[in-house]
Amino acid sequence: MGEDDEKQSEKRYISSEELRSHNTPSDLWISIQGKVYDATHWVKDHPGGELPLFNLAGQDVTDAFVAYHPGTAWSLLDRLPLVGYLSDYRVSDVSKDYRRLAADISKKGLFDKKGHITFIVLCHMCLMFAVVVYGVVCSPSVWVHLGCAVVLGFLWMQSGFLGHDSGHYRILNGPLVNRIMQVVSGNCLAGISIEWWKRNHNAHHIACNSLDFDPDVQHIPFFAVSSELFRGLTSYFYERKMSFDGVARLLVSYQHWTFYPVMCVARLNLFAQSVLLLLSNKRVRGRGQELVGLGVFWVWFPLLVSYLPSWGERVMFVVVSFAVAGIQHVQFCLNHFSSSVYVGPPRGNDWFEKQTMGTLDITCEPWMDWFHGGLQFQVEHHLFPRLPRSQLRRISPLVRELCKKHRLPYDSFSFWEANVRTIRTLRTAALQARDSANPVPKNLVWEAVNTHG
């Protein structure tokens, strides 16, 4: 964009109402620090995918831009057509303090201080993988095989944490080695598409705990964290209606009992979602790499299981490894299921509020950080997703003080308390689902299970 474009647009002022009218994929405007840009043709090139822009289209997105982009990204805005200036641009006190804190963190260089966590985790993963392969192939003991299944489950957990980190910032120097690490640790080692995860996770961060925009709280027919889901909301992520029919009512009615068993096999859903995305017509970066990576997983894992001496041990190995890895799925749920939810698209002007209200921290000692992989500082992570996990504990007191200053929630509970809160939330929704005052189409299974007298 040259000086002529700047001069032509400097006298044009656009109201928030007019900005909101440009909120479709074919006509997409956004505002950043009072400047209004036409991002319609930038969507296809956006490194974070199209969903964050679609979900925040027609709004001021300054806080989200600050959260997700390094300082070097500001100069890239000059590549976007400048439409004009927001006539009623205002910054709330909360946003001012949030941006000030983000600037302070950046000045201290914390976004770049990754520490040695990546190297340590990679070494542990290599060691665990070697132990699993050696134990399965070389030992005849069923107890060794059981132990190897447990180790494999923890290996997949660490792989998930590493993939989570690499999706938010470069954990290794250079984009190529970072990409190789993503595909190897995610697709090849865990059987989960890193591109599926990034697409899913970016949508989750932007629309944290929105019942119709956040895929991480859209688990109908198995789970419902709010009775609002009984109304059959449309998922803007999955692009379909989340029908609350008789089967869903039956499953949700007992969700506080089925939660942990389902978490034990939740990896199956990630496998399926990965394949569905890669075989779809959606834009996927490095689709070929992703498919090859999944192919590697589905060669080595069945081959490893085949070395076990009996079908009984093979089933045991798969079930135990999946169940242990299911701890991570529980961790994901604890951070959000019992927090505040809402219906509708995310709004750019209450970024800080929505992120703090939709998340909670897990209190733990530093020596347990390996177990939580940074997810225990979920509030801090959602506010500063580019911040390396080694720095989250350091900024936690600053975030707590900022929440206190603006009378916003800063929820922090022990691992046990967070589990209790999650089960309580599921139980509340389950009892509401059983209420006959909320009729839905029933089927014969529902009628058979709930017939009394």
Side-chain angles (χ1 to χ4, degrees), residues 251-281:
L251 294 174
V252 169
S253 293
Y254 299 95
Q255 62 180 358
H256 51 305
W257 294 107
T258 61
F259 175 67
Y260 293 112
V262 170
M263 291 298 104
C264 288
V265 294
R267 293 189 69 79
L268 296 175
N269 178 54
L270 304 191
F271 294 155
Q273 294 297 333
S274 295
V275 173
L276 288 174
L277 174 65
L278 296 181
L279 296 182
S280 72
N281 58 3

Side-chain angles (χ1 to χ4, degrees), residues 175-280:
L176 179 59
V177 290
N178 199 69
R179 174 63 178 172
I180 292 174
M181 193 286 306
Q182 287 180 330
V183 174
V184 171
S185 66
N187 299 56
C188 298
L189 195 58
I192 298 172
S193 164
I194 190 66
E195 286 301 310
W196 167 81
W197 177 87
K198 286 165 64 176
R199 186 175 187 273
N200 184 94
H201 200 62
N202 285 342
H204 159 65
H205 267 266
I206 291 295
C208 179
N209 273 29
S210 167
L211 295 176
D212 45 349
F213 282 82
D214 181 0
D216 280 11
V217 290
Q218 297 174 354
H219 301 294
I220 295 293
F222 296 100
F223 303 118
V225 296
S226 168
S227 59
E228 287 289 331
L229 289 164
F230 301 168
R231 298 192 288 113
L233 300 177
T234 296
S235 167
Y236 289 90
F237 179 82
Y238 293 111
E239 300 174 342
R240 60 176 174 79
K241 183 177 181 180
M242 297 179 286
S243 299
F244 191 69
D245 54 17
V247 173
R249 182 190 284 271
L250 173 63
L251 294 174
V252 169
S253 293
Y254 299 95
Q255 62 180 358
H256 51 305
W257 294 107
T258 61
F259 175 67
Y260 293 112
V262 170
M263 291 298 104
C264 288
V265 294
R267 293 189 69 79
L268 296 175
N269 178 54
L270 304 191
F271 294 155
Q273 294 297 333
S274 295
V275 173
L276 288 174
L277 174 65
L278 296 181
L279 296 182
S280 72

Side-chain angles (χ1 to χ4, degrees), residues 400-412:
R400 184 188 293 270
E401 284 301 313
L402 193 54
C403 289
K404 182 179 179 181
K405 175 181 178 180
H406 294 284
R407 298 182 179 180
L408 292 170
Y410 181 91
D411 294 327
S412 183

